[in-house]
Amino acid sequence: MSAPAGSSHPAASARIPPKFGGAAASGAAAPAGPGPGPAPHQQNGPAQNQMQVPSGYGLHHQNYIAPSGHYSQGPGKMTSLPLDTQCSDYYSALYTVPTQNVTPNTVNQQPGAQQMYSRGPPAPHIVGSTLGSFQGAASSASHLHTSASQPYSSFVNHYNSPAMYSANSSVASQGFPSTCGHYAMSTVSSAAYPSVSYPSLPAGDTYGQMFTSQNAPTVRPVKDNSFSGQNTAISHPSPLPPPPSQQHHQQQSLSGYSTLTWSAPGLPSTQDNLIRNHTGSLAVANNNPTITGVDSSSTTSSASPMPNNYDALEGGSYPDMLSSSASSPAPDPAPEPDPASAPAPASAPAPVVPQPSKMAKPFGYGYPTLQPGYQNATAPLISGVQPSNPVYSGFQQYPQQYPGVNQLSSSIGGLSLQSSPQPESLRPVNLTQERNILPMTPVWAPVPNLNADLKKLNCSPDSFRCTLTNIPQTQALLNKAKLPLGLLLHPFRDLTQLPVITSNTIVRCRSCRTYINPFVSFIDQRRWKCNLCYRVNDVPEEFMYNPLTRSYGEPHKRPEVQNSTVEFIASSDYMLRPPQPAVYLFVLDVSHNAVEAGYLTILCQSLLENLDKLPGDSRTRIGFMTFDSTIHFYNLQEGLSQPQMLIVSDIDDVFLPTPDSLLVNLYESKELIKDLLNALPNMFTNTRETHSALGPALQAAFKLMSPTGGRVSVFQTQLPSLGAGLLQSREDPNQRSSTKVVQHLGPATDFYKKLALDCSGQQTAVDLFLLSSQYSDLASLACMSKYSAGCIYYYPSFHYTHNPSQAEKLQKDLKRYLTRKIGFEAVMRIRCTKGLSMHTFHGNFFVRSTDLLSLANINPDAGFAVQLSIEESLTDTSLVCFQTALLYTSSKGERRIRVHTLCLPVVSSLADVYAGVDVQAAICLLANMAVDRSVSSSLSDARDALVNAVVDSLSAYGSTVSNLQHSALMAPSSLKLFPLYVLALLKQKAFRTGTSTRLDDRVYAMCQIKSQPLVHLMKMIHPNLYRIDRLTDEGAVHVNDRVVPQPPLQKLSAEKLTREGAFLMDCGSVFYIWVGKGCDNNFIEDVLGYRNFASIPQKMTHLPELDTLSSERARSFITWLRDSRPLSPILHIVKDESPAKAEFFQHLIEDRTEAAFSYYEFLLHVQQQICK
Amino acid sequence: MAFTFAAFCYMLTLVLCASLIFFVIWHIIAFDELRTDFKNPIDQGNPARARERLKNIERICCLLRKLVVPEYSIHGLFCLMFLCAAEWVTLGLNIPLLFYHLWRYFHRPADGSEAMYDAVSIMNADILNYCQKESWCKLAFYLLSFFYYLYSMVYTLVSF
């Protein structure tokens, strides 16, 4: 959870950093962005830190007081508090408990104290509470949410909490008191609640001091929800709040102890305090602390035994886990300080309990069970970055929280979110006056404003993002906000850790068929309530046993309930026919044009190299076809001495010359296949055939693939000119830069669409590689991939010698294409909470039912988008959930289901809706909608719609939320990048007018918008610009023993370019390095390997491997950027005076061009429109 | 009692209107059919079912498309006949729908031959909802006009 918080608020944090400029934060933050999974702990930590820290900081001050107030009340006044009774109870309970716990900890972290506590409170309570709490946790949490979410302050808290998280993480990494201060504050909010509040009273002094500096964030109630859930359960007993809670804590603490010991080994030899803190944090993170309480012993035991069933889990490799473990050492230091401060609290008797409890929780959940770790990782938005952070945060949070709480309590009495100042994301920004709107660090996905537990459990934003992280309660509210509501999915993303579950019964809701997920609520031990349709279901007997912990009666601790991203291995119920083998068919254009371009050599070479790496099992089959004006089949039947070529010249009525031997087993016929691949490039060198019968070849391919399904890879180099599906050139070169009408964005014929539908019906996907130098009507050809769930690659002006960079790109893309994961005969279903409904899907697929996408193939690089509408008011729920289930056949012939679940809060005020905008997701969804609009209506319509989206949302904000002067163009901080991104879209190849754009380029850009996942799409829309001639190690991150410098982002404007510098622009699929005329010769010599500017060649696509520090830095930075994306981008080094610089400059979207506004002009235009 | 041209028009439109009502009912059933699908992914994930389902969708869309021109032309014929018969009120009632049909026919997305009920996009909930609503509205309109024609027919026959 903590982790998510950090990640979630990236945007806010990113902004903040500049202000607070925590040295640590800044350094760390910059690197984090790329977040390659493998990044070392440190990296992760820093990245998160940056984000989080800043926010935490800011929050600190603000929240500080308020939180304390809450807390203080918690213990004493719990009942009196205005908040929901549950909440109050919760708090109080938590507080009380924590306080008790705390004291012990502070005083002595000895078990004895804990035991005493445990004794003191009635054991039964605990048990009951635990059960109840667990079940209730989700529901109660949601309640809290609602309550919290509505008030502004609550909002803030949420935000803060993330900050806190980050802070924690950062602390952990840094592990120093000074940092701790910052971090600590953040931490407090999340975990601290319970424990803090109480302790504050007694121990407050020392803690308070500590906290004051650190704790500001404490306020965050979100976490409380989870707790509250428990509390709610507990709360009943809690009329005497303290005792029950204590019990809980005690139990937990006890368990914690045991766990502690356990954990201790795993962790670095952190001090006891630290460990405790850790555990505590962990516990907090876990939603189910109660559970732990129930079986403290079990938890510990569970930890050690790994689940039999889990494949994935085994590694323990949850990213989070890893990170946590790794990071843990770092965090420890931070916690220490707290404990130190603790001594004061120690004086207070109560405090002891809290720490133990914390510890206990963490243990049971966090460490022992890998899942928690996982959750943490996922939960944090950071996910990309580092999972570990969450854990950490939890850590520190506790200690920090304590002080903070104390102070707060003393200073303020109410739980009320009083302090809750406006969330950072709502801070009004005057767009026309803010000169540097672009943050220096990458923009992160905002973290949904959930309680800490849910946050931690939530799906990673890399897989699943919503344009509004606060879902409006009604369609009317959504309409008022004038923002698009939708989801962006990257369901089959390459994951480093994924729990894989084998089980005879996959637990699903009986009415809506939702898979069980972390956001369901357990009503009692044997029943759970679906979070999408609210039906109460039975828990099957098998589910009662937790294979991970080898314990019985803990359905809530099953991996399905601990992870929002899981994969099930489906039973035979899920297949009507045996899973299909991996079947690959290559359909190659061998007309004169194709041979001239020379792609065959590259393809055959790549295939030869990767033949063994093709995903598949022993049943894998492969086949080849070539075509010009006739169609050639290759008989590769085992036993033949050499491949046999069969030519079918009747293209009007294509038939298969032999039924069997065209698709052959890869392993049985490997020699023949290799022979063929070696011979192919030279077989057609003297061809004079210029025609291309693509349509008939596809029909033949379809016939060939029909019995099995699989993947067809089509390589085409020109307009199909023969047989069915022939196309005419529709592009008028004179219209390329037209500002008025762009025609022919739609297909010219429905042949390819029909073919794609047929293929889709036979579970065959068609992937198109278009390598052409002339217009090839991609708009029509793309249909074959669009509706069969294939993918499209386009290499304009491809030539293997004249255009080596394209050739290299093809080679690298092919390597990825051939070796990446693949899923066959897939379907993806998206479900959402009752009241929401989906309409309009974007991506490559066939929509088979209103919520079911049919995907003949699924690949890890495919992204999807869905638009949502609110059909019924969501007033009676505080949380909404979305679940995507992707059922596919793996290349090994296993039927698997990958399930992602996302949980978001519902809000009722417009301000909250604006506070939760995920501007990147919104822009990607808008881009998808604009593509549809361009095709169905016209490009100018789409452009107008994009501008209107900005105008409408900003004017809606101006007239409803902000009360500031209307003359200025105001935007909430969460939306401040919106106009910039829309301007970037308007200047994107897909939508630009006035600049010469080839029709195929434009259509390809549109195809990419539709099918790219968000992260890649954002780089396409708004490239990142870095200055690289002065890279330093300041803020660098460490990845795989390499130091990766993290230069700040520059805004995309020529004003940032200086002749004395060199700049790297990352456009997703292309890198440009622009070298200024006056660039330092040292840089040119050390990095580029030339003596001076004049000697740099015009076409340069590689950085030489020089043994200098600056070269090493530049290369490691570029490599690091490259590693973060599936398709290797090509690098162009552009000299200031070379003709290629136009390409570079067209990406400087903040500048004025002949045909388009500058950013400032665009703002004025928007303002003008608003005032109309 | 006068068997005028107007009376003849009403008699003819009465019959044709009945056929239009059948068309629309068929549309409604077809959209319902499209919407209904197995909720159980075990069925849906089935590759064998996938093909069946896809064929089904394509078939339905194809039939829907085939009905478009007859429906529109029959309705156009109404308007023409009422124009000839100088039944201005009736004509006025039908003109809005005529224009809607013209708009719908010429404003379809311009891809290939089959624009209106496209198997690829029909399953998008917004399109499906729109089509369903359109069908229900038309059903109401045709039913009402059926009785109106009946009344008008009798009225013209009885009047002199």
Side-chain angles (χ1 to χ4, degrees):
Chain A
M1 306 199 46
S2 61
S7 58
S8 62
H9 280 290
S13 59
R15 300 164 188 160
I16 299 175
K19 300 177 180 178
F20 293 98
S26 65
H41 324 291
Q42 294 179 352
Q43 293 177 351
N44 295 336
Q48 294 178 351
N49 292 341
Q50 286 185 339
M51 303 286 299
Q52 300 168 347
V53 172
S55 61
Y57 235 145
L59 296 175
H60 279 311
H61 301 297
Q62 302 170 349
N63 297 340
Y64 216 5
I65 301 170
S68 63
H70 298 297
Y71 287 121
S72 62
Q73 293 175 355
K77 304 175 180 179
M78 299 176 58
T79 51
S80 65
L81 290 176
L83 297 181
D84 297 357
T85 56
Q86 293 179 349
C87 288
S88 63
D89 292 343
Y90 201 89
Y91 285 115
S92 61
L94 293 174
Y95 286 145
T96 57
V97 176
T99 51
Q100 297 172 352
N101 294 333
V102 174
T103 46
N105 285 336
T106 55
V107 176
N108 298 324
Q109 303 156 351
Q110 300 171 352
Q114 296 174 352
Q115 294 175 354
M116 291 178 62
Y117 275 96
S118 62
R119 296 170 188 170
H125 277 297
I126 299 169
V127 175
S129 64
T130 53
L131 294 175
S133 63
F134 176 75
Q135 300 164 346
S139 62
S140 62
S142 63
H143 282 300
L144 290 172
H145 261 307
T146 52
S147 63
S149 61
Q150 296 173 350
Y152 220 105
S153 60
S154 64
F155 226 52
V156 176
N157 294 335
H158 295 295
Y159 284 119
N160 296 339
S161 61
M164 294 177 60
Y165 280 114
S166 59
N168 294 332
S169 63
S170 62
V171 173
S173 59
Q174 298 174 352
F176 293 103
S178 63
T179 48
C180 293
H182 306 295
Y183 294 165
M185 299 178 63
S186 60
T187 50
V188 172
S189 62
S190 60
Y193 273 127
S195 58
V196 174
S197 63
Y198 267 84
S200 66
L201 293 176
D205 300 338
T206 50
Y207 273 109
Q209 294 173 355
M210 296 290 289
F211 292 121
T212 51
S213 60
Q214 302 171 349
N215 293 338
T218 45
V219 179
R220 224 351 336 214
V222 177
K223 295 176 180 178
D224 297 346
N225 296 343
S226 59
F227 276 126
S228 63
Q230 300 173 353
N231 291 336
T232 54
I234 300 168
S235 61
H236 297 294
S238 67
L240 314 174
S245 60
Q246 290 177 356
Q247 297 171 358
H248 240 311
H249 293 290
Q250 292 171 354
Q251 292 179 348
Q252 294 175 354
S253 65
L254 291 175
S255 63
Y257 260 127
S258 57
T259 49
L260 284 175
T261 56
W262 184 73
S263 62
L267 297 176
S269 66
T270 57
Q271 301 162 351
D272 296 347
N273 296 338
L274 292 176
I275 295 172
R276 293 172 185 175
N277 294 336
H278 261 311
T279 55
S281 63
L282 291 173
V284 177
N286 299 328
N287 296 335
N288 309 331
T290 52
I291 298 170
T292 52
V294 177
D295 334 324
S296 59
S297 63
S298 66
T299 54
T300 51
S301 64
S302 64
S304 56
M306 291 313 292
N308 303 330
N309 301 346
Y310 288 126
D311 294 349
L313 287 182
E314 320 149 342
S317 39
Y318 284 103
D320 298 347
M321 295 291 294
L322 292 174
S323 61
S324 65
S325 62
S327 58
S328 60
D332 292 341
E336 289 185 356
D338 294 336
S341 60
S347 63
V352 178
V353 179
Q355 290 182 354
S357 65
K358 295 174 182 179
M359 296 187 52
K361 292 175 180 180
F363 274 112
Y365 299 112
Y367 277 107
T369 50
L370 294 178
Q371 303 165 352
Y374 192 82
Q375 298 169 353
N376 294 337
T378 52
L381 301 184
I382 304 167
S383 61
V385 183
Q386 307 162 343
S388 62
N389 293 336
V391 176
Y392 277 92
S393 60
F395 246 113
Q396 296 177 348
Q397 291 175 357
Y398 276 118
Q400 295 173 354
Q401 290 180 356
Y402 285 118
V405 173
N406 296 334
Q407 294 177 352
L408 290 176
S409 61
S410 59
S411 61
I412 304 169
L415 287 176
S416 62
L417 305 174
Q418 47 159 357
S419 64
S420 64
Q422 262 194 337
E424 163 63 20
S425 58
L426 260 184
R427 180 175 57 86
V429 176
N430 190 335
L431 292 173
T432 45
Q433 287 178 10
E434 188 97 4
R435 202 154 162 66
N436 293 308
I437 202 83
L438 194 71
M440 305 279 277
T441 55
V443 180
W444 299 95
V447 180
N449 182 11
L450 294 167
N451 73 41
D453 292 343
L454 292 180
K455 234 177 226 166
K456 190 180 70 184
L457 288 169
N458 225 345
C459 193
S460 154
D462 290 337
S463 307
F464 212 150
R465 255 165 106 162
C466 183
T467 56
L468 302 177
T469 55
N470 295 315
I471 302 288
Q473 216 165 41
T474 60
Q475 181 72 34
L477 189 60
L478 176 61
N479 292 343
K480 258 191 234 163
K482 305 268 185 197
L483 291 164
L485 176 59
L487 301 171
L488 286 118
L489 308 169
H490 190 183
F492 202 54
R493 189 165 73 91
D494 287 325
L495 293 166
T496 46
Q497 283 108 6
L498 171 73
V500 180
I501 295 161
T502 314
S503 141
N504 291 334
T505 49
I506 295 174
V507 182
R508 305 174 62 179
C509 173
R510 292 183 63 180
S511 81
C512 67
R513 309 299 299 163
T514 299
Y515 296 83
I516 196 163
N517 60 69
F519 310 106
V520 303
S521 43
F522 282 87
I523 293 170
D524 56 40
Q525 196 79 334
R526 304 307 306 255
R527 288 184 303 166
W528 61 278
K529 190 172 171 193
C530 175
N531 54 336
L532 269 68
C533 68
Y534 308 119
R535 185 189 202 275
V536 176
N537 295 276
D538 292 335
V539 176
E541 185 61 32
E542 189 188 344
F543 200 72
M544 298 297 290
Y545 175 75
N546 186 346
L548 200 58
T549 60
R550 294 201 180 139
S551 54
Y552 184 83
E554 301 178 326
H556 47 266
K557 285 165 89 178
R558 294 265 306 191
E560 297 95 315
V561 189
Q562 293 284 323
N563 297 285
S564 58
T565 297
V566 294
E567 190 155 288
F568 296 97
I569 299 196
S571 58
S572 53
D573 300 347
Y574 285 78
M575 38 192 136
L576 261 198
R577 66 173 192 183
Q580 69 163 68
V583 181
Y584 305 109
L585 176 64
F586 294 86
V587 180
L588 313 173
D589 181 0
V590 291
S591 61
H592 177 74
N593 203 11
V595 174
E596 191 59 26
Y599 80 89
L600 274 176
T601 322
I602 295 169
L603 171 68
C604 292
Q605 199 54 42
S606 294
L607 261 173
L608 280 172
E609 282 165 15
N610 295 303
L611 213 49
D612 296 326
K613 296 182 201 150
L614 282 178
D617 55 11
S618 59
R619 302 180 298 158
T620 306
R621 295 208 271 162
I622 193 168
F624 295 89
M625 283 169 54
T626 54
F627 64 95
D628 39 34
S629 62
T630 56
I631 301 168
H632 321 133
F633 296 89
Y634 296 87
N635 185 344
L636 299 166
Q637 188 64 49
E638 190 189 9
L640 289 174
S641 58
Q642 60 175 33
Q644 221 173 40
M645 181 169 164
L646 307 160
I647 301 178
V648 173
S649 54
D650 181 6
I651 56 169
D652 293 329
D653 181 18
V654 186
F655 59 93
L656 300 181
T658 71
D660 296 333
S661 46
L662 299 177
L663 280 174
V664 294
N665 187 295
L666 176 60
Y667 299 99
E668 289 167 4
S669 302
K670 188 169 261 176
E671 287 313 312
L672 281 177
I673 292 167
K674 284 185 177 167
D675 287 350
L676 176 64
L677 289 175
N678 283 321
L680 256 185
N682 303 318
M683 274 166 73
F684 301 94
T685 39
N686 297 318
T687 184
R688 288 164 186 275
E689 191 53 74
T690 55
H691 283 297
S692 157
L694 176 65
L698 285 172
Q699 286 172 330
F702 168 65
K703 283 187 184 169
L704 200 50
M705 298 295 279
S706 289
T708 52
R711 182 175 79 186
V712 178
S713 314
V714 177
F715 289 78
Q716 172 71 7
T717 60
Q718 57 174 325
L719 269 179
S721 53
L722 272 186
L726 70 95
L727 298 166
Q728 258 95 41
S729 176
R730 298 189 289 166
E731 185 187 37
D732 176 2
N734 298 326
Q735 296 288 313
R736 277 181 191 164
S737 56
S738 153
T739 51
K740 296 172 206 149
V741 187
V742 178
Q743 286 174 312
H744 307 311
L745 291 172
T749 164
D750 58 7
F751 171 82
Y752 295 99
K753 183 167 77 182
K754 285 189 165 147
L755 185 101
L757 290 184
D758 288 341
C759 286
S760 175
Q762 299 294 359
Q763 305 299 338
T764 305
V766 184
D767 294 342
L768 173 66
F769 287 79
L770 186 60
L771 317 114
S772 66
S773 44
Q774 291 158 0
Y775 176 73
S776 303
D777 202 351
L778 185 61
S780 301
L781 294 180
C783 288
M784 72 170 96
S785 299
K786 257 185 206 167
Y787 303 116
S788 66
C791 46
I792 300 159
Y793 297 87
Y794 176 51
Y795 303 86
S797 336
F798 179 86
H799 195 281
Y800 72 115
T801 50
H802 299 168
N803 197 344
S805 64
Q806 287 284 23
E808 189 194 332
K809 183 167 165 51
L810 174 67
Q811 197 181 356
K812 288 185 170 164
D813 287 359
L814 274 175
K815 185 174 179 212
R816 162 78 183 167
Y817 174 76
L818 294 172
T819 55
R820 71 186 177 190
K821 264 186 85 164
I822 184 169
F824 297 100
E825 44 187 4
V827 288
M828 182 164 79
R829 164 152 278 159
I830 305 165
R831 297 181 173 86
C832 49
T833 297
K834 202 167 66 177
L836 291 171
S837 77
M838 282 158 298
H839 64 93
T840 316
F841 299 89
H842 303 277
N844 291 349
F845 48 68
F846 173 69
V847 194
R848 215 164 84 199
S849 177
T850 46
D851 59 349
L852 185 77
L853 306 180
S854 167
L855 304 156
N857 282 182
I858 177 79
N859 70 69
D861 305 328
F864 303 90
V866 195
Q867 286 170 250
L868 295 169
S869 59
I870 303 169
E871 290 204 327
E872 298 166 33
S873 163
L874 300 168
T875 40
D876 48 356
T877 177
S878 59
L879 294 174
V880 292
C881 292
F882 304 94
Q883 186 173 74
T884 56
L886 177 72
L887 171 62
Y888 67 98
T889 302
S890 76
S891 50
K892 306 279 182 217
E894 269 177 329
R895 205 77 174 130
R896 285 170 170 243
I897 309 164
R898 186 174 292 188
V899 178
H900 301 275
T901 314
L902 176 72
C903 178
L904 295 173
V906 175
V907 297
S908 57
S909 86
L910 203 51
D912 290 347
V913 174
Y914 280 112
V917 180
D918 182 340
V919 70
Q920 292 191 322
I923 213 73
C924 290
L925 186 66
L926 277 177
N928 274 299
M929 294 160 69
V931 170
D932 276 2
R933 180 71 77 91
S934 319
V935 177
S936 68
S937 181
S938 73
L939 193 65
S940 53
D941 255 24
R943 287 171 57 88
D944 291 347
L946 284 173
V947 177
N948 287 340
V950 181
V951 172
D952 289 348
S953 58
L954 292 188
S955 71
Y957 171 77
S959 60
T960 54
V961 177
S962 100
N963 303 317
L964 302 168
Q965 70 274 36
H966 286 281
S967 57
L969 184 60
M970 303 303 288
S973 183
S974 59
L975 269 181
K976 67 176 182 180
L977 293 173
F978 196 40
L980 177 63
Y981 285 158
V982 166
L983 180 67
L985 261 188
L986 293 176
K987 294 186 177 181
Q988 224 276 335
K989 263 186 190 166
F991 302 112
R992 71 186 181 192
T993 56
T995 313
S996 177
T997 312
R998 285 156 25 123
L999 191 52
D1000 277 350
D1001 286 350
R1002 190 187 294 278
V1003 171
Y1004 180 61
M1006 290 184 171
C1007 293
Q1008 292 226 290
I1009 288 175
K1010 287 281 240 176
S1011 62
Q1012 289 285 301
L1014 185 140
V1015 264
H1016 307 310
L1017 187 51
M1018 272 322 294
K1019 292 214 180 70
M1020 255 180 71
I1021 294 172
H1022 189 274
N1024 290 338
L1025 182 67
Y1026 307 93
R1027 178 161 188 177
I1028 57 158
D1029 63 325
R1030 291 182 192 161
L1031 292 176
T1032 64
D1033 281 345
E1034 188 184 329
V1037 295
H1038 297 263
V1039 186
N1040 302 338
D1041 301 333
R1042 266 184 337 200
V1043 178
V1044 180
Q1046 298 292 317
L1049 282 180
Q1050 310 277 348
K1051 74 174 186 175
L1052 291 170
S1053 164
E1055 99 186 41
K1056 288 288 175 191
L1057 302 179
T1058 68
R1059 291 187 168 221
E1060 286 76 40
F1063 292 83
L1064 172 73
M1065 185 187 280
D1066 170 9
C1067 305
S1069 56
V1070 191
F1071 287 158
Y1072 296 100
I1073 292 180
W1074 179 86
V1075 184
K1077 233 180 212 163
C1079 185
D1080 188 7
N1081 273 345
N1082 287 337
F1083 175 80
I1084 296 176
E1085 206 169 322
D1086 289 352
V1087 177
L1088 303 180
Y1090 290 92
R1091 269 187 306 147
N1092 52 40
F1093 181 78
S1095 58
I1096 301 174
Q1098 293 286 357
K1099 280 190 180 177
M1100 188 174 166
T1101 56
H1102 283 283
L1103 284 185
E1105 298 210 3
L1106 299 177
D1107 194 20
T1108 59
L1109 185 61
S1110 48
S1111 166
E1112 216 157 83
R1113 279 178 182 153
R1115 280 183 291 117
S1116 78
F1117 181 57
I1118 290 172
T1119 314
W1120 176 72
L1121 288 177
R1122 273 192 172 145
D1123 288 345
S1124 68
R1125 64 209 70 201
L1127 298 181
S1128 174
I1130 41 179
L1131 176 70
H1132 289 293
I1133 292 168
V1134 181
K1135 286 169 75 175
D1136 189 17
E1137 54 201 358
S1138 82
K1141 78 173 183 181
E1143 263 184 65
F1144 174 81
F1145 278 96
Q1146 76 184 7
H1147 289 293
L1148 297 175
I1149 53 108
E1150 290 197 29
D1151 291 340
R1152 186 156 197 267
T1153 67
E1154 287 169 22
F1157 288 133
S1158 72
Y1159 178 57
Y1160 189 72
E1161 287 170 330
F1162 181 68
L1163 288 178
L1164 293 183
H1165 175 72
V1166 169
Q1167 193 172 3
Q1168 220 172 16
Q1169 296 283 312
I1170 290 176
C1171 293
K1172 259 185 197 169
Chain B
M1 188 72 184
F3 188 78
T4 59
F5 178 65
F8 169 74
C9 284
Y10 280 119
M11 290 165 82
L12 190 61
T13 50
L14 212 52
V15 178
L16 290 176
C17 196
S19 67
L20 282 184
I21 290 171
F22 279 115
F23 281 12
V24 176
I25 290 176
W26 195 88
H27 270 75
I28 291 171
I29 295 172
F31 292 129
D32 204 55
E33 166 95 19
L34 281 178
R35 191 176 280 278
T36 329
D37 195 5
F38 309 99
K39 277 287 175 206
N40 189 344
I42 292 182
D43 294 330
Q44 293 196 325
N46 224 307
R49 288 273 166 76
R51 178 167 165 70
E52 214 172 279
R53 167 82 179 157
L54 196 139
K55 287 286 160 208
N56 213 16
I57 294 175
E58 278 192 277
R59 192 173 47 84
I60 293 174
C61 288
C62 186
L63 282 171
L64 284 171
R65 243 175 278 128
K66 279 184 186 158
L67 283 181
V68 168
V69 174
E71 185 196 333
Y72 289 9
S73 48
I74 288 175
H75 189 259
L77 182 67
F78 284 12
C79 297
L80 192 67
M81 288 196 301
F82 292 131
L83 183 70
C84 298
E87 291 287 328
W88 306 119
V89 177
T90 319
L91 182 63
L93 289 176
N94 277 292
I95 284 288
L97 186 62
L98 181 71
F99 278 100
Y100 174 75
H101 280 164
L102 289 174
W103 174 82
R104 189 99 160 83
Y105 191 79
F106 291 104
H107 242 258
R108 46 190 198 179
D111 97 296
S113 55
E114 45 175 77
M116 209 168 306
Y117 298 106
D118 185 356
V120 171
S121 58
I122 188 78
M123 290 312 300
N124 273 338
D126 52 345
I127 297 180
L128 199 55
N129 284 339
Y130 178 83
C131 291
Q132 252 180 331
K133 263 183 213 149
E134 184 196 39
S135 300
W136 280 107
C137 292
K138 274 191 188 172
L139 180 65
F141 178 83
Y142 288 143
L143 274 176
L144 287 175
S145 51
F146 179 83
F147 291 109
Y148 174 77
Y149 298 151
L150 190 64
Y151 164 81
S152 301
M153 181 188 75
V154 174
Y155 185 84
T156 45
L157 285 176
V158 171
S159 66
F160 45 89

